[in-house]
Amino acid sequence: EQKQTDDEILSLKDQFREASGEIRSLQDGQKEIEEQIAAHKTTLGDSDAMLQRAQFSWHQEKSRLDALTNLAERYEGYGGSVRRVMKEKQREPGIIGSVADLLTTDKKYETAIEVALGGSIQNIVTRDEDTARRMIEILKRERAGRATFLPLSGIRNARTLSGSAVLREPGVIGTADTLVTAAEGCMDVAASLLGRTVIVDTFDHAVAASKRSGHGIR
């Protein structure tokens, strides 16, 4: 009976050692999982902070976009006559848009292009002369002021400085029309208004290029 009892004790000890090993293994696994959870919590916290910053930035940019869109839709900053004509745009498919709507450029050239365009930045581009004529009649009838129209049908093959020797002068970046992107079908507008204006990197280079070209360029 004692031998039988000793055998049972030995068997139970083996079971105890096996269970103890499993417990240690589970404890090690639990510790590893807890470390992973802690790491995930840190990552989640960082991601949440990034998300909040991104959401805040998005709302800021969305508000700015909405404000700019509203300004554009109301044509704030334009003359009253231009705004009056642009109100007809949905009804009159021959109105393409203002020069400011149709030409874009890199930020570093914005000021130069705006200065080069001057008052023509508010000129209204139309598909043809008939559209311009109808809009002029509206302005006259309502005594809404004056506007300058650029019918696409009348500005084909605008003269530019393409191939001119002045473009090889030191500091010359290019003609202004090559530094803008025009809406589809409106590249002639850019060539007509900017094709004989040269953009130069510095004032001194501009003066030198102008002298060597005989002051025949802008």
Side-chain angles (χ1 to χ4, degrees):
E1 288 176 359
Q2 183 178 348
K3 184 179 182 305
Q4 184 178 351
T5 302
D6 289 341
D7 290 342
E8 289 177 358
I9 290 172
L10 288 173
S11 175
L12 290 171
K13 283 182 177 180
D14 289 340
Q15 292 178 34
F16 178 77
R17 280 194 298 272
E18 185 177 341
S20 296
E22 289 180 1
I23 289 171
R24 283 194 300 272
S25 177
L26 290 171
Q27 286 175 335
D28 290 341
Q30 180 183 6
K31 184 179 179 182
E32 184 178 344
I33 290 171
E34 286 174 348
E35 288 174 350
Q36 289 177 358
I37 290 172
H40 286 315
K41 281 182 177 178
T42 301
T43 303
L44 180 62
D46 292 342
S47 298
D48 188 53
M50 287 175 61
L51 175 62
Q52 289 181 3
R53 287 195 297 271
Q55 286 176 331
F56 178 74
S57 177
W58 183 85
H59 285 298
Q60 276 190 321
E61 293 301 318
K62 179 70 166 54
S63 298
R64 182 167 172 267
L65 175 62
D66 289 343
L68 290 172
T69 301
N70 289 335
L71 282 173
E73 287 175 351
R74 294 196 306 270
Y75 284 88
E76 294 290 343
Y78 285 73
S81 57
V82 176
R83 290 202 301 271
R84 176 63 189 90
V85 171
M86 297 311 293
K87 284 182 180 178
E88 298 291 316
K89 188 175 180 183
Q90 288 185 333
R91 187 185 65 81
E92 177 57 76
I95 298 174
I96 297 174
S98 70
V99 169
D101 291 335
L102 303 175
L103 302 183
T104 57
T105 188
D106 289 344
K107 193 169 185 63
K108 59 184 174 181
Y109 300 131
E110 279 180 358
T111 301
I113 297 299
E114 285 176 9
V115 171
L117 287 170
S120 62
I121 199 168
Q122 293 195 28
N123 288 2
I124 300 168
V125 179
T126 61
R127 188 177 299 163
D128 50 39
E129 287 88 347
D130 288 341
T131 302
R133 200 172 289 117
R134 286 194 294 274
M135 294 303 101
I136 291 170
E137 287 302 318
I138 289 175
L139 294 177
K140 282 182 178 179
R141 186 170 63 247
E142 299 180 6
R143 296 182 180 178
R146 301 177 180 178
T148 301
F149 294 88
L150 294 175
L152 284 179
S153 56
I155 55 172
R156 303 295 180 195
N157 302 316
R159 290 174 61 239
T160 68
L161 294 172
S162 177
S164 171
V166 72
L167 299 179
R168 296 188 290 275
E169 292 288 337
V172 170
I173 297 169
T175 53
D177 64 312
T178 64
L179 301 177
V180 300
T181 300
E184 185 178 357
C186 294
M187 203 60 227
D188 284 332
V189 174
S192 173
L193 297 175
L194 300 170
R196 299 191 65 78
T197 298
V198 178
I199 305 297
V200 188
D201 60 352
T202 67
F203 181 75
D204 290 339
H205 279 150
V207 171
S210 180
K211 286 179 179 177
R212 279 193 286 272
S213 67
H215 302 281
I217 58 170
R218 186 177 180 209

